[in-house]
Amino acid sequence: MSRLVAWLEDYLLPLANKLGQTTWLVALRDAFVSVMPITIAGSIAVLVKSLIEAAKINLGWKTFAWIMQPLMLVSDVVWRGTFALFALFLSMSLGYHLAKSMEVDPIAGAIVSLSSLAMSIANLTKYHIGGKMVLLHHSFDISQFSTTGIFTAILFGTIGVSIFALCVKARFKLNLTTTLPYAEQMALDSLIPAIIAIFCVGMINFAFQTITGTFFGNWLLHSIQTPLVKLGQGFGMVLLVTLLVQVFAFFGINGLGVWAPLLDSIWLTAQNVNVTAVRNGKPASFIWVRGSFDSFAWFGGAGGTLMLIVTILLFSKRSDYRTIAKVALAPGVFNINEPIVLGLPVVLNPVYFIPFVLAPVVNVAFSYWVTLMGLVNPVQAAVPGIVPPIIGPFLACNYDWRAIVLCIVNMLIALAIWTPFVFAADKIADTNNPEPYFTRQY
């Protein structure tokens, strides 16, 4: 085991560090994190509407549903201002964070990114009236600003902001000697770089439309985004990402942070599609989405470390380990695992390498097939990461009680995987240090 850890340190750790420090990946990760209020608000709107409809259909509470009708209408309004415009918010957030990381005006970067998205999607809307299709030009279909526009926002937001930053670094700006307020000075300094960036993105889209006869955003959706999202539904792909997150986390690198661009671009897109489908009264389209990892594998944080805490409290005879577990229990319930991961520690501890990686992989594999067989609803709503296990899956799966059962089974599986290694850690610690640290006398 020590040799395996040493090999991973020599070959995988440098790669992980480089990925974790890549400017674009960090900006994309921060962009997805920044739009979390939009994601959560839209999901709450779906949950509220689903709860009222479930009460009406399953419990026969027609009067209650009638009284709650204004709340359902408010939920629809919230939906149109959040999830329905997800790519729009992501584009602005990405532009802001990318420009900030390149040390240029972040507000101008957000505007350039948003403009780049708008130029890259179709400016016509199709309507079916009386059996005929009518094209309405110079209008945007709002669906393009939802999950279907995520990859377009990422690609052209990156291109636009990159060109803008290059022009700023090259000092393509108006040289005015007058003293102006800060906001006006920043706007004037960004004027020429922003114009150049916007026109460059415009020319790229014009050339593509002229050659292919279609909009770049439509082509990107059907040729790249849709196949990638479908690829993310593969069992092997799901397990591979779970494995990579755990290995990175074992070395003290935030695996969820490093792989957030991949997780969010593919599985968050799928999750948003599920949320949209359920909101419109349709079945969920994807069996495995971003929230599936959190609901069924990463309870207590990456590694399912809540069950490590429980295992230590149940079986460990070491007073120092038990003290750390008691301190880490409350944060672990709310999916914060730094106290146990860094305090025990789990990071770079060869004894815990196998369960730290294996438990989430087994949980993900089991949950994947249970969901695929239709024994539990796929995740259909975004739930805040601090929502405790059992409650989180119940809400994420749209009030499906079977999600509670699956979560409990997964926790028992993780408990069984962690238990022998906790016993082993006790024996190793007793051999190397017979007297627990907290009970030593000086």
Side-chain angles (χ1 to χ4, degrees), residues 168-236:
V168 171
K169 300 292 185 182
R171 298 186 179 278
F172 293 162
K173 63 179 183 179
L174 296 173
N175 293 314
L176 300 176
T177 57
T178 27
T179 302
L180 296 172
Y182 177 77
E184 295 182 20
Q185 186 64 53
M186 292 295 292
L188 287 173
D189 289 345
S190 303
L191 179 61
I192 294 179
I195 291 173
I196 293 174
I198 290 171
F199 267 85
C200 285
V201 174
M203 287 188 288
I204 292 173
N205 280 282
F206 173 76
F208 188 87
Q209 293 169 27
T210 302
I211 295 172
T212 65
T214 186
F215 290 87
F216 207 119
N218 288 346
W219 175 84
L220 193 67
L221 171 64
H222 297 294
S223 301
I224 297 180
Q225 179 174 337
T226 301
L228 275 178
V229 172
K230 289 182 178 179
L231 179 65
Q233 297 303 297
F235 181 62

Side-chain angles (χ1 to χ4, degrees), residues 351-388:
V351 178
Y352 291 124
F353 175 74
I354 289 179
F356 188 68
V357 174
L358 182 62
V361 169
V362 173
N363 287 155
V364 164
F366 180 69
S367 302
Y368 178 93
W369 289 107
V370 168
T371 308
L372 182 63
M373 290 186 291
L375 300 178
V376 66
N377 284 344
V379 169
Q380 303 171 6
V383 176
I386 60 171
V387 176

Side-chain angles (χ1 to χ4, degrees), residues 111-123 140 145 152 156 160 194-206 209 215-217:
I111 294 172
V112 168
S113 180
L114 178 59
S115 175
S116 300
L117 169 64
M119 289 186 290
S120 307
I121 58 179
N123 63 340
F140 289 115
F145 292 118
T152 306
F156 283 99
I195 291 173
I196 293 174
I198 290 171
F199 267 85
C200 285
V201 174
M203 287 188 288
I204 292 173
N205 280 282
F206 173 76
Q209 293 169 27
F215 290 87
F216 207 119

Side-chain angles (χ1 to χ4, degrees), residues 77 86 403:
V77 173
F86 184 85

Side-chain angles (χ1 to χ4, degrees), residues 185-388:
Q185 186 64 53
M186 292 295 292
L188 287 173
D189 289 345
S190 303
L191 179 61
I192 294 179
I195 291 173
I196 293 174
I198 290 171
F199 267 85
C200 285
V201 174
M203 287 188 288
I204 292 173
N205 280 282
F206 173 76
F208 188 87
Q209 293 169 27
T210 302
I211 295 172
T212 65
T214 186
F215 290 87
F216 207 119
N218 288 346
W219 175 84
L220 193 67
L221 171 64
H222 297 294
S223 301
I224 297 180
Q225 179 174 337
T226 301
L228 275 178
V229 172
K230 289 182 178 179
L231 179 65
Q233 297 303 297
F235 181 62
M237 186 69 170
V238 171
L239 285 191
L240 176 61
V241 170
T242 307
L243 178 66
L244 290 173
V245 168
Q246 293 306 132
V247 171
F248 277 38
F250 177 77
F251 288 99
I253 298 172
N254 187 346
L256 291 176
V258 171
W259 294 106
L262 179 66
L263 285 165
D264 292 342
S265 299
I266 296 179
W267 285 282
L268 184 58
T269 301
Q271 178 172 297
N272 291 346
V273 171
N274 276 5
V275 174
T276 303
V278 172
R279 185 258 176 188
N280 294 328
K282 299 178 182 178
S285 304
F286 298 102
I287 62 168
W288 197 264
V289 300
R290 177 62 184 86
S292 303
F293 294 99
D294 298 323
S295 297
F296 301 126
W298 292 333
F299 28 78
T305 48
L306 178 59
M307 300 319 297
L308 169 60
I309 297 171
V310 173
T311 305
I312 291 174
L313 294 176
L314 288 176
F315 303 116
S316 179
K317 304 300 182 182
R318 300 274 305 184
S319 60
D320 48 349
Y321 290 174
R322 293 178 62 84
T323 299
I324 294 171
K326 290 176 183 177
V327 172
L329 179 60
V333 170
F334 295 96
N335 301 318
I336 300 170
N337 68 351
E338 281 78 8
I340 190 69
V341 168
L342 301 177
L344 195 57
V346 175
V347 171
L348 292 174
N349 188 338
V351 178
Y352 291 124
F353 175 74
I354 289 179
F356 188 68
V357 174
L358 182 62
V361 169
V362 173
N363 287 155
V364 164
F366 180 69
S367 302
Y368 178 93
W369 289 107
V370 168
T371 308
L372 182 63
M373 290 186 291
L375 300 178
V376 66
N377 284 344
V379 169
Q380 303 171 6
V383 176
I386 60 171
V387 176

Side-chain angles (χ1 to χ4, degrees), residues 124-188:
L124 56 85
T125 308
K126 298 178 181 179
Y127 287 98
H128 291 276
I129 301 176
K132 296 182 180 180
M133 186 178 68
V134 179
L135 294 180
L136 181 61
H137 291 272
H138 307 298
S139 64
F140 289 115
D141 184 350
I142 194 174
S143 65
Q144 296 179 108
F145 292 118
S146 62
T147 55
T148 59
I150 288 180
F151 275 59
T152 306
I154 293 173
L155 176 62
F156 283 99
T158 301
I159 293 174
V161 175
S162 298
I163 296 173
F164 168 72
L166 287 174
C167 293
V168 171
K169 300 292 185 182
R171 298 186 179 278
F172 293 162
K173 63 179 183 179
L174 296 173
N175 293 314
L176 300 176
T177 57
T178 27
T179 302
L180 296 172
Y182 177 77
E184 295 182 20
Q185 186 64 53
M186 292 295 292
L188 287 173

